[in-house]
Amino acid sequence: MASNPQPAVVAANDRIGFFDLQRQQRRIHDDVRARMDAVLVHGQFILGPEVSELEGKLAAFAGVPHAIAVSSGRDALMIGLMALGIGPGDAVFVPAFTFAATAGAVCSINATPIFVDVDPETRNMDPADLERAIDEVIAAGELKPRVVMPVDLYGLPADYEAIGKIAARHDMTVFSDAAQSFGGRAGNSRVGGMAPISATSFYPTKPLGCYGDGGAILTDSDELAEAVRTLRSHGRQGTGDVAVRNGVTGRLDTLQAAVLLSKLTVFEDELEKRDAVARRYDAALAGKVGIQKQPSGYFSANAIYTITLPNREALKAELDARGIGNAFFYRVALHQHPAFAEAPKRPLPVSERLADTVISLPMHPDLTDEEVERVIAAVLDAVG
Ligand SMILES: Cc1ncc(COP(=O)(O)O)c(C=O)c1O
């Protein structure tokens, strides 16, 4: 299979990490330390000045009036759904091929996830299957279609134009799960401003990641922003101690906001570097394996780079032998997770096929040219 077998043991220095946060940290280390020290000095660990500074910068970056920093991407989805007043009896349409948190957030507020298949080329929610899923829910008459929650898979924005039109016809809200895509864009819209409400994640390996858990909700609605601010802090309004709604402990720590302010100083540059790696992979691998199609005018945040091929186990063995990081994102489609077994059943063939054939390659801004070439060579050798 492989024309160029490698020694079974690869020296630590020669390994290529799937992600490499330590390299990135070396670039910004002094700045991160200085910003963290400033937090230790002022001591406002909850909702300190760094949190509002970060919120202002995130909102400006995305071109929306409001960004509200919260405790994680999943909490951002859950709090956003709470702010929209979603609950039992409501249907929320999610792609079947994504990370578990998308449907998990829907179940957390006792609404019902309805799984929608994805497009085989972009791997994002398929608008035609969304139409079918909505019609099925209406015909069954048990749930009220309320929200469409597309995911920007691997960092590539979903087709918000088509999805927005379908949602509008049914008086539904589009809530973007942009956990993987902050920094992405399509045409003149940036992620965070492509739907009436969006949620992102600052999990450490995300394109904009902190050193713990974190997330944000972005919206152009003053009302939703106010509801989210209240809900993330026990349902209290402002600094008062009266709960006007039942909320959660869902704030971003000030220390994490300090880290993110530092990361933001290099974020644009890192997005360009990620994109350069992805386009080199595309150029070398297109036609040999399946690659994610980027519609014209779209810019992915390139959180994860994923190819498809029939015999991914052989490629995995080759990558492992050469010390090259890899992962299956995602190995199981969401409707096949035991946690979501009660969701209404529908055919989801593309999601199931992707789950059987995907394998993700190293992707981070600090990959060297030589490392990218080694990854490409390993894939080409393995696929013959
Ligand atoms: C598509 C998607 N949605 C939601 C989440 C949840 O984000 P977090 O890990 O910050 O809770 C993730 C995180 O990996 C994700 O990839």
Side-chain angles (χ1 to χ4, degrees), residues 145-166:
R146 294 285 309 277
V147 172
V148 186
M149 187 176 273
V151 173
D152 301 340
L153 198 73
Y154 308 140
L156 179 71
D159 186 351
Y160 289 96
E161 209 179 313
I163 290 169
K165 283 185 191 146
I166 297 167

Side-chain angles (χ1 to χ4, degrees), residues 256-343:
Q256 298 302 346
V259 172
L260 287 164
L261 283 170
S262 184
K263 294 270 195 111
L264 266 178
T265 63
V266 294
F267 186 49
E268 294 267 21
D269 181 55
E270 291 191 339
L271 286 168
E272 293 302 326
K273 288 187 165 140
R274 284 176 179 277
D275 196 55
V277 172
R279 302 297 70 87
R280 279 184 65 190
Y281 281 157
D282 279 357
L285 302 178
K288 309 277 193 322
V289 296
I291 62 170
Q292 184 177 29
K293 181 182 166 195
Q294 294 225 147
S296 113
Y298 279 60
F299 180 86
S300 173
N302 294 296
I304 302 175
Y305 187 90
T306 304
I307 58 174
T308 55
L309 73 167
N311 186 0
R312 69 175 169 191
E313 292 297 340
L315 174 57
K316 181 181 171 36
E318 188 64 27
L319 294 170
D320 288 347
R322 297 189 191 198
I324 298 174
N326 62 85
F328 297 160
F329 285 126
Y330 296 94
R331 190 193 295 265
V332 180
L334 284 198
H335 60 292
Q336 296 174 326
H337 289 223
F340 311 124
E342 284 173 23

Side-chain angles (χ1 to χ4, degrees), residues 72-74 77 98-99 101-102 151 177 179-180 201 203 206 214 330:
S72 71
R74 181 181 168 126
L77 293 171
T98 172
F99 182 60
T102 312
V151 173
D177 179 347
Q180 303 178 0
S201 165
Y203 186 82
K206 294 290 190 266
Y330 296 94

Side-chain angles (χ1 to χ4, degrees), residues 12 15 36 54 73 78 120 139 146 153 162 171 192 195 241 276 299 381:
R15 295 214 179 102
M36 290 178 94
L54 174 71
M78 185 185 75
R146 294 285 309 277
L153 198 73
D171 202 17
D241 59 2
F299 180 86
D381 283 350

Side-chain angles (χ1 to χ4, degrees), residues 47-62 64-70 215-218 228-229 232 251-252 257 261 264:
L47 297 184
E50 285 79 4
V51 176
S52 33
E53 185 183 346
L54 174 71
E55 291 176 338
K57 290 194 165 146
L58 294 173
F61 189 97
V64 293
H66 305 286
I68 305 103
V70 297
I217 292 163
L218 298 109
V228 166
R229 281 187 197 286
R232 77 168 168 183
R251 299 159 298 225
L252 181 76
L261 283 170
L264 266 178

Side-chain angles (χ1 to χ4, degrees), residues 59-369:
F61 189 97
V64 293
H66 305 286
I68 305 103
V70 297
S71 40
S72 71
R74 181 181 168 126
D75 287 348
L77 293 171
M78 185 185 75
I79 293 170
L81 288 168
M82 291 164 82
L84 288 166
I86 307 303
D90 292 335
V92 179
F93 296 79
V94 299
F97 191 66
T98 172
F99 182 60
T102 312
V106 176
C107 296
S108 304
I109 46 119
N110 297 315
T112 303
I114 306 291
F115 294 114
V116 177
D117 216 352
V118 295
D119 179 276
E121 296 196 59
T122 65
R123 305 164 186 170
N124 277 330
M125 183 181 270
D126 174 4
D129 197 52
L130 172 64
E131 295 251 35
R132 284 193 287 276
I134 295 171
D135 290 345
E136 285 163 25
V137 167
I138 292 171
E142 282 170 14
L143 299 166
K144 190 166 187 321
R146 294 285 309 277
V147 172
V148 186
M149 187 176 273
V151 173
D152 301 340
L153 198 73
Y154 308 140
L156 179 71
D159 186 351
Y160 289 96
E161 209 179 313
I163 290 169
K165 283 185 191 146
I166 297 167
R169 274 205 297 282
H170 295 281
D171 202 17
M172 297 166 71
T173 304
V174 180
F175 183 176
S176 160
D177 179 347
Q180 303 178 0
S181 62
F182 193 74
R185 53 182 192 267
N188 295 327
S189 305
R190 282 180 173 254
V191 164
M194 301 180 79
I197 176 167
S198 305
T200 195
S201 165
F202 302 131
Y203 186 82
T205 54
K206 294 290 190 266
L208 182 63
C210 56
Y211 292 155
D213 281 307
I217 292 163
L218 298 109
T219 181
D220 55 9
S221 156
D222 297 349
E223 276 158 46
L224 282 177
E226 175 56 21
V228 166
R229 281 187 197 286
T230 306
L231 286 162
R232 77 168 168 183
S233 199
H234 306 289
R236 296 175 309 170
Q237 224 154 19
T239 51
D241 59 2
V242 176
V244 294
R245 319 164 173 257
N246 191 23
V248 294
T249 310
R251 299 159 298 225
L252 181 76
D253 294 344
T254 309
L255 277 167
Q256 298 302 346
V259 172
L260 287 164
L261 283 170
S262 184
K263 294 270 195 111
L264 266 178
T265 63
V266 294
F267 186 49
E268 294 267 21
D269 181 55
E270 291 191 339
L271 286 168
E272 293 302 326
K273 288 187 165 140
R274 284 176 179 277
D275 196 55
V277 172
R279 302 297 70 87
R280 279 184 65 190
Y281 281 157
D282 279 357
L285 302 178
K288 309 277 193 322
V289 296
I291 62 170
Q292 184 177 29
K293 181 182 166 195
Q294 294 225 147
S296 113
Y298 279 60
F299 180 86
S300 173
N302 294 296
I304 302 175
Y305 187 90
T306 304
I307 58 174
T308 55
L309 73 167
N311 186 0
R312 69 175 169 191
E313 292 297 340
L315 174 57
K316 181 181 171 36
E318 188 64 27
L319 294 170
D320 288 347
R322 297 189 191 198
I324 298 174
N326 62 85
F328 297 160
F329 285 126
Y330 296 94
R331 190 193 295 265
V332 180
L334 284 198
H335 60 292
Q336 296 174 326
H337 289 223
F340 311 124
E342 284 173 23
K345 305 270 175 283
R346 35 192 326 274
L348 298 156
V350 180
S351 298
E352 288 174 15
R353 196 164 66 241
L354 283 172
D356 286 341
T357 54
V358 286
I359 179 165
S360 308
L361 304 176
M363 170 51 75
H364 61 82
D366 301 302
L367 279 166
T368 64
D369 289 352

